[in-house]
Amino acid sequence: ALHLAIVLLLAFILYPAKRSMPKNTLPWYDIVLALLGFGVCMYQVVNQGALAARLRLKPHEIYLGVLGLVLLLEATRRVVGLPIVVIAIAFLGVAIFGNYMPGFLRSNLSFRRIIEHLFYDYEGVFGPAIGACANFIFLFMLFGAFLERTGVGEFFIDLSNAIAGHKRGGPAKVAVITSALEGTVSGSSVANTVGSGSFTIPMMKSLGYRPEFAAAVEAAASTGGQIMPPVMGAAAFLMVDAVGVSYATIVKAAIIPALLYFAGIYIIIDIESKKRGLVGMDKDKLPRLARIMADRGYLLLPLLAIIYVLTGTSLTTAYAALIGMLVAVMGGYIKTIFDAVMAATRGNSVKEVVRTSEMMRLTDHWKALEAGARNVLAVALACATSGVVSGVITLTGIGARIGGGLTALAGDHLLLLLFFTMIASIVLGMGVPTTANYLITSSVMAPVVISAMQRVLPDTFAALQAIGPNMQNLPAHMFTFYFGIVADITPPVALAAMAGAAIAKSDPLRTGLEATRLAIAAFLIPYMFIFNPKLLMIGAQWWEVLQMSVTAMIGMFGVAMCLQRFYVHKMNLVQQLMSLAGGLMLIHPELWTDFVGIGLILIVVLWQRYDHKRLPVQPA
């Protein structure tokens, strides 16, 4: 409650009622709203003991609860945007007018009970989501702000250029690698797209890529940043409570699917570059990898420190974030001291080394603190507002009824049920930030997938239960999380694709469709780890993980050839169908399907190479 009190205070002070209004003035009514928002939350802080001891709320507490919900929705509209507010209001309407609702939406709840549950119990606004934001997410966003002040963004771009800039279709591959690296600390697909896209999209266009393709590459890669450990768009911290497993388990489970996702985009880019004859950038004009690592390799130390603390020690997640911040701050100072000592031994100017060093100054510390506080506003408000949605779901039980309806519609066909869940998760995730996205999709759809796995895949479900408590829940939550995330590139909303299209000056709808095609791996991988959770490294030996990763990569290569209609020259319809069938067969974790899938893809590759040798070159 204290966390949300400060967030509401800052939201009304920093964000005007309309985006067109000036931000350097503070109207009197925003001051009033800021104080009211702070006050209604502080009422809970001050009266926490009395509220817990009483069975019924006093009349004025009902009014405060209503006021608190209205202020929360208005602050969320200003900071986050309208889509999540519309979803929250729709769910509120379902609860308030439950007596008039048809079928599975019907409920019979008093207005007092609704307000009590949503604003005073620990399953609504002040539920696990805002708790995770206060305890973990804010610290990691602060860590990201400190890391940004060290210049890690520019370092990631230079590092990616050194690795892939000279390769075929270089700038596009740079976008993929940069977004994967930025995704380790960033929590927004739109911010990733705008941040690295301002550099990579113009470079791709200058190389010869279509504007739609250039924007789609950046949008798809940036969206993938939210499934990249360790932060995963802050959803990893929410999964800890929702799934009931450790943070380290979630991060470990996310590694292979994330790498496969980026590999899938990389493969499609490579085929597109080959098809269009696009070359890389001049190697002589690109930064050298050895030089970059020697000069700025220390910028990776904060990330390595966090990974070590989370996986190699018994310290908490909060300690990991604090240690990461300390390493981020101290790294520059240690590097400067080392350079100064080396300069002194060579007789060079120590003052000049200190003056030109990239260590953080005191002003950088203040700016990092300010950026961390500003950045957390959107996440905290999204968490609190999604608490309204999840609170209505738990209070009315409509989540279970939606699940029952989908199950009845799909019958005993798990694949069909997963398809329905995919569509529902994408629709629920459109225009909604990552944290709220995961909370909404997991509340409504994850129980559907869990019950379906228990019924249709009893052996797999029992094996997961035997590995550890709640492990059977992890694949279902990851499934809904993935499809909630790809809503950022799936038309008609496609916020990340819209941001990329604005930079590339391309058609937003075509950009969204292109990004969806590029991110085909995100539409396949979740099905793979439902049927074979070992892809999430749950109870898997290293050689099993390696085998599944290799077959999955080959499968994505087959699907990519089909989508691009190209390998070494233009493919005919039969080759397309064979490569698609081979790629899809590799999704199923059976040995015979792996052999058939690999065989089909190999036949297409050899067929293409044979045709290429004996036939004249065909236009792409």
Side-chain angles (χ1 to χ4, degrees):
L2 178 61
H3 182 66
L4 187 59
I6 297 170
V7 165
L8 288 174
L9 181 72
L10 290 173
F12 285 112
I13 289 174
L14 296 175
Y15 289 83
K18 293 182 180 178
R19 295 191 178 183
S20 58
M21 295 174 68
K23 293 186 178 181
N24 56 353
T25 59
L26 187 59
W28 65 268
Y29 52 84
D30 278 348
I31 297 175
V32 172
L33 292 175
L35 293 174
L36 285 173
F38 182 79
V40 293
C41 292
M42 287 305 296
Y43 181 86
Q44 294 215 34
V45 176
V46 175
N47 298 284
Q48 184 179 13
L51 287 167
R54 274 193 271 116
L55 294 176
R56 291 178 64 83
L57 297 177
K58 294 179 180 179
H60 74 275
E61 290 169 343
I62 297 293
Y63 298 131
L64 285 177
V66 173
L67 178 62
L69 288 173
V70 171
L71 290 170
L72 170 63
L73 293 175
E74 168 58 13
T76 305
R77 182 194 67 81
R78 293 186 181 198
V79 180
V80 182
L82 198 56
I84 186 175
V85 176
V86 171
I87 292 172
I89 291 172
F91 273 84
L92 268 172
V94 167
I96 294 170
F97 302 105
N99 284 328
Y100 306 100
M101 290 289 166
F104 69 91
L105 295 176
R106 192 172 184 82
S107 61
N108 185 20
L109 299 165
S110 68
F111 187 74
R112 175 188 290 270
R113 178 72 188 106
I114 294 169
I115 298 301
E116 181 181 32
H117 185 81
L118 295 182
F119 204 76
Y120 291 96
D121 287 353
Y122 292 105
E123 294 183 31
V125 171
F126 299 103
I130 198 69
C133 186
N135 292 324
F136 310 119
I137 296 173
F138 174 59
L139 287 172
F140 271 84
M141 298 200 78
L142 203 57
F143 162 71
F146 271 92
L147 204 58
E148 189 178 339
R149 297 305 302 180
T150 65
V152 75
E154 185 181 345
F155 167 67
F156 283 157
I157 291 174
D158 289 345
L159 187 63
S160 303
N161 269 310
I163 294 171
H166 62 284
K167 297 184 183 296
R168 182 168 54 205
K173 293 176 179 177
V174 167
V176 174
I177 297 172
T178 302
S179 296
L181 291 170
E182 287 186 352
T184 59
V185 294
S186 173
S188 169
S189 57
V190 177
N192 277 6
T193 302
V194 174
S196 55
S198 58
F199 165 78
T200 57
I201 291 174
M203 286 293 290
M204 282 187 268
K205 287 177 66 179
S206 67
L207 190 66
Y209 282 108
R210 292 173 289 116
E212 286 81 11
F213 189 84
V217 166
E218 183 57 54
S222 295
T223 298
Q226 298 189 89
I227 58 176
M228 191 71 180
V231 177
M232 295 169 62
F237 309 108
L238 302 175
M239 280 192 196
V240 172
D241 185 80
V243 181
V245 298
S246 69
Y247 177 81
T249 300
I250 290 166
V251 169
K252 181 181 173 184
I255 291 172
I256 300 298
L259 293 177
L260 289 175
Y261 174 85
F262 284 105
I265 299 176
Y266 196 93
I267 290 168
I268 294 178
I269 289 169
D270 190 65
I271 295 175
E272 173 81 8
S273 304
K274 187 196 295 185
K275 183 167 72 172
R276 298 188 176 275
L278 302 176
V279 297
M281 294 180 282
D282 187 350
K283 197 169 184 177
D284 294 334
K285 296 179 180 179
L286 294 172
R288 302 290 180 183
L289 181 60
R291 182 69 180 173
I292 291 171
M293 293 305 295
D295 288 346
R296 290 178 286 167
Y298 69 91
L299 293 175
L300 292 174
L301 290 177
L303 288 172
L304 296 176
I306 279 186
I307 293 169
Y308 171 73
V309 172
L310 290 172
T311 59
T313 71
S314 59
L315 294 175
T316 64
T317 308
Y319 270 109
L322 291 170
I323 290 170
M325 276 185 268
L326 181 63
V327 173
V329 171
M330 295 305 297
Y333 290 114
I334 294 171
K335 177 71 166 50
T336 302
I337 291 169
F338 176 79
D339 289 345
V341 171
M342 295 300 294
T345 57
R346 294 171 186 152
N348 297 329
S349 171
V350 173
K351 287 185 178 180
E352 182 63 19
V353 170
V354 174
R355 189 183 68 81
T356 58
S357 73
E358 295 182 359
M359 66 179 182
M360 292 181 69
R361 269 65 174 182
L362 189 60
T363 53
D364 291 319
H365 297 167
W366 285 113
K367 287 177 181 177
L369 290 169
E370 179 190 344
R374 281 181 179 271
N375 293 342
V376 83
L377 296 183
V379 177
L381 289 168
C383 284
T385 304
S386 64
V388 174
V389 177
S390 58
V392 170
I393 290 169
T394 57
L395 184 62
T396 61
I398 62 171
R401 293 198 287 273
I402 290 173
L406 287 176
T407 303
L409 190 62
D412 286 331
H413 300 286
L414 179 59
L415 204 59
L416 191 58
L417 180 64
L418 292 175
F419 177 77
F420 291 154
T421 304
M422 175 187 79
I423 299 300
S425 296
I426 290 174
V427 171
L428 287 169
M430 284 183 176
V432 178
T434 304
T435 44
N437 178 327
Y438 166 69
L439 287 164
I440 294 169
T441 55
S442 63
S443 298
V444 178
M445 303 313 304
V448 180
V449 180
I450 292 168
S451 61
M453 286 183 67
Q454 186 175 14
R455 190 178 65 259
V456 182
L457 300 173
D459 293 340
T460 302
F461 195 83
L464 290 171
Q465 282 183 312
I467 291 169
N470 302 314
M471 292 301 286
Q472 72 277 8
N473 299 334
L474 185 53
H477 279 261
M478 288 290 286
F479 184 90
T480 55
F481 172 61
Y482 258 68
F483 286 117
I485 291 299
V486 297
D488 277 351
I489 52 171
T490 307
V493 180
L495 291 179
M498 296 284 183
I503 298 172
K505 296 180 174 59
S506 62
D507 179 74
L509 181 60
R510 290 176 62 187
T511 301
L513 293 171
E514 194 81 57
T516 303
R517 187 173 66 87
L518 279 167
I520 189 66
F523 292 87
L524 299 178
I525 291 168
Y527 289 91
M528 296 170 70
F529 58 62
I530 287 293
F531 287 104
N532 192 358
K534 288 184 177 181
L535 196 62
L536 300 176
M537 289 198 275
I538 303 174
Q541 302 296 323
W542 69 268
W543 55 268
E544 291 178 302
V545 173
L546 181 62
Q547 176 203 338
M548 288 182 294
S549 300
V550 170
T551 55
M553 198 81 72
I554 296 171
M556 282 186 286
F557 175 68
V559 174
M561 284 196 301
C562 172
L563 292 173
Q564 293 295 103
R565 295 188 298 170
F566 191 89
Y567 173 56
V568 290
H569 66 87
K570 190 175 181 180
M571 297 172 69
N572 60 42
L573 181 60
V574 175
Q575 291 171 341
Q576 273 187 273
L577 293 175
M578 286 177 67
S579 59
L580 177 62
L584 294 178
M585 289 194 82
L586 287 164
I587 293 176
H588 201 277
E590 293 286 343
L591 194 59
W592 73 269
T593 56
D594 286 351
F595 276 119
V596 173
I598 291 172
L600 287 171
I601 292 171
L602 184 60
I603 289 170
V604 173
V605 168
L606 295 175
W607 187 355
Q608 279 266 301
R609 288 188 175 278
Y610 175 74
D611 283 350
H612 188 63
K613 286 180 180 178
R614 70 183 185 88
L615 297 174
V617 176
Q618 300 178 42

